[in-house]
Each structure stands twice: as structure tokens, then as C-alpha cells.
């Protein structure tokens, strides 16, 4: 049951503002105003999902199908500001909303026909309990809502690892080796999977997860991230 008068009162006390420009949001807007959405650094990898620079990063690490990123990551840019709020400022709704926006973009190009399930890169249970949510799963849930493709949580992280932020490519690979497993391989076998994460740097985490899914006999694996930088 909704209580419009009470909701209006709360909106006066705690007005919803855009995560980027801080302007007040209209009722039909969520997390981002229409102006900031229009200015997002969208990559358009969905128009060239094969043989792009993201796929080059994964060469020799895993077998890949489509590899895409929604936003171009730049230091101090809008994508970094959104990721920082999503990961460290307790704003899981940002991941949901960006997933929805990207979902509509992918749906316009028929991508909803390609996958049986969406699998987010998991956090270790201790880290997820600390944060309260998995930012990659929030992005996956937003995609799922629009594309009408279920989210699978059969991929799990079994070891707590150090942050990847300041590690080299080889160090990142070593840091995530043997830390992921599949809960139920029967849920993966023969499935076309969209594997999603929040950000791609060297691609080590995504490659490791993809290899675990391949070992469980997935039919195909495409990759999509919320943001990625240039080589």
C-alpha cells in the first residue's frame, strides 16, 4: 500500500538528487537525471562485440565470445564517480539503474535472444556481508529486469583475496587462481551465459571465472562489464 502524502513529505525532507550533478530528480527519474544519462561515456562495444581491444586483453587467458563494456572508464570521470558510489558509498541502486539503462540499449539490438542466464562475478561471502551487496550482481539484476533473462548465482568465490587495485597483470592472475567454483554444474552445462562484472582492467578475474564456467561445460560465454578503460 502506498501513502502518497507521507512520501511527498519525505521527498521534501530528503529530496532525491542525481548521483552526478546533484540536481533534484523528477518522480520518473531514478539515481540519474536525464541530462547526465545523455552525457554518460557509452562505449558502443555492443556494435562491435568481437575483435575489439577488450577481447585482446583476454587473449591467451580464456576463450571468449562477445566482450563488451557499457561505459568508458576514465580517472575522475563520470564512470569512476558512479563506480565509487556503487562500491563504497552504499548505493546498490546505482548498479541496478545502470544495468537497466544498458539493458534497454542491448535490447534495442536484439541481445536478449543470445543468453539463457546472466552470471555475476561473485564476492567472497565475508566481503559481501561487509558491503551488504555485490555490486556486480546489482548490475546483473538491472540487466535481467529489462532483458528478462534470469540471474544465476551458481558461480561462487571460495577464498578471500587481496584487492586487485595495485597489482600487475601476472599478480592479478595469481591472486584469483583457484578461488572460484560452480555450486551445481548441471545448471551451467549447455547454457549460453552472459558473465558480468563491475569493471575490467587486465581481465584476470573475468578470464578465471570464464574458465570455471567452460570447465562446467557451458555452451557459450559472453562478457559484459559496467566500465572498462583503454589499453
Amino acid at each position: 500500500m502506498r501513502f502518497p502524502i507521507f512520501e511527498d513529505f519525505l521527498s521534501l525532507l530528503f529530496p532525491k538528487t542525481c548521483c552526478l550533478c546533484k540536481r533534484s530528480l523528477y518522480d520518473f527519474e531514478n539515481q540519474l537525471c536525464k541530462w547526465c544519462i545523455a552525457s554518460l561515456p557509452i562505449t558502443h562495444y555492443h556494435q562491435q562485440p568481437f575483435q575489439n581491444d577488450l577481447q585482446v586483453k583476454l587473449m591467451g587467458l580464456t576463450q571468449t565470445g562477445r566482450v563488451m563494456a557499457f561505459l568508458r572508464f576514465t580517472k575522475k570521470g563520470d564512470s569512476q564517480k558512479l563506480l565509487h558510489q556503487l562500491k563504497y558509498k552504499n548505493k546498490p541502486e546505482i548498479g541496478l539503474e545502470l544495468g537497466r539503462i544498458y539493458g534497454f540499449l542491448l535490447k534495442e539490438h536484439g541481445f536478449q535472444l543470445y543468453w539463457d542466464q546472466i552470471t555475476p562475478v561473485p564476492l567472497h561471502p565475508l566481503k559481501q556481508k561487509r558491503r551488504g551487496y555485490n555490486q556486480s550482481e546489482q548490475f546483473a539484476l538491472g540487466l535481467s529486469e529489462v532483458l528478462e533473462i534470469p540471474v544465476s548465482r551458481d558461480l561462487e568465490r571460495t577464498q578471500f583475496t587481496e584487492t586487485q587495485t595495485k597489482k600487475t597483470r601476472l599478480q592479478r592472475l595469481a591472486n584469483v587462481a583457484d578461488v572460484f567454483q560452480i555450486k551445481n554444474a548441471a545448471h551451467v552445462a549447455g547454457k549460453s551465459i552472459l558473465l558480468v562484472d563491475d569493471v575490467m582492467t587486465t581481465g584476470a578475474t573475468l578470464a578465471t571465472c570464464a574458465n570455471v564456467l567452460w570447465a562446467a561445460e557451458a555452451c557459450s560465454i559472453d562478457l559484459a562489464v559496467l566500465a572498462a578503460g583503454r589499453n
Side-chain angles (χ1 to χ4, degrees), residues 30-195:
N30 186 15
Q31 303 303 315
L32 291 162
C33 70
K34 61 181 181 179
W35 307 110
C36 286
I37 290 174
S39 65
L40 286 174
I42 296 174
T43 66
H44 300 289
Y45 278 114
H46 60 283
Q47 295 178 353
Q48 189 181 350
F50 300 101
Q51 298 179 338
N52 55 47
D53 61 300
L54 297 183
Q55 199 170 55
V56 170
K57 287 184 179 183
L58 298 166
M59 282 185 177
L61 302 180
T62 190
Q63 178 184 345
T64 60
R66 301 171 183 86
V67 185
M68 303 176 291
F70 176 31
L71 303 178
R72 179 66 68 188
F73 181 88
T74 54
K75 288 187 177 181
K76 298 184 179 180
D78 285 349
S79 55
Q80 186 182 42
K81 292 173 185 175
L82 290 169
L83 281 167
H84 183 78
Q85 292 181 66
L86 171 60
K87 294 178 70 171
Y88 306 116
K89 297 298 183 179
N90 193 31
K91 291 193 172 181
E93 299 86 1
I94 292 176
L96 277 171
E97 184 62 13
L98 292 173
R100 293 185 193 108
I101 295 168
Y102 195 35
F104 282 117
L105 183 61
L106 294 178
K107 195 168 188 176
E108 286 178 7
H109 292 79
F111 279 82
Q112 74 276 15
L113 304 174
Y114 296 153
W115 307 302
D116 299 312
Q117 59 193 43
I118 301 172
T119 300
V121 170
L123 289 178
H124 187 274
L126 285 178
K127 185 175 285 188
Q128 182 158 338
K129 185 176 181 180
R130 220 180 268 167
R131 182 169 292 163
Y133 56 91
N134 174 0
Q135 68 277 3
S136 299
E137 184 176 306
Q138 293 301 116
F139 182 52
L141 289 169
L143 288 167
S144 171
E145 182 181 320
V146 175
L147 297 176
E148 300 180 32
I149 299 172
V151 171
S152 166
R153 297 175 180 84
D154 281 298
L155 184 64
E156 63 180 354
R157 188 185 293 249
T158 59
Q159 297 180 38
F160 193 94
T161 54
E162 300 175 16
T163 179
Q164 299 273 70
T165 306
K166 297 182 180 180
K167 295 183 182 297
T168 66
R169 190 168 190 254
L170 290 176
Q171 288 171 333
R172 286 170 186 258
L173 282 169
N175 194 44
V176 294
D178 303 319
V179 304
F180 298 101
Q181 69 178 24
I182 298 293
K183 295 178 187 177
N184 190 335
H187 293 170
V188 174
K191 298 293 177 62
S192 297
I193 297 171
L194 177 64
L195 176 64

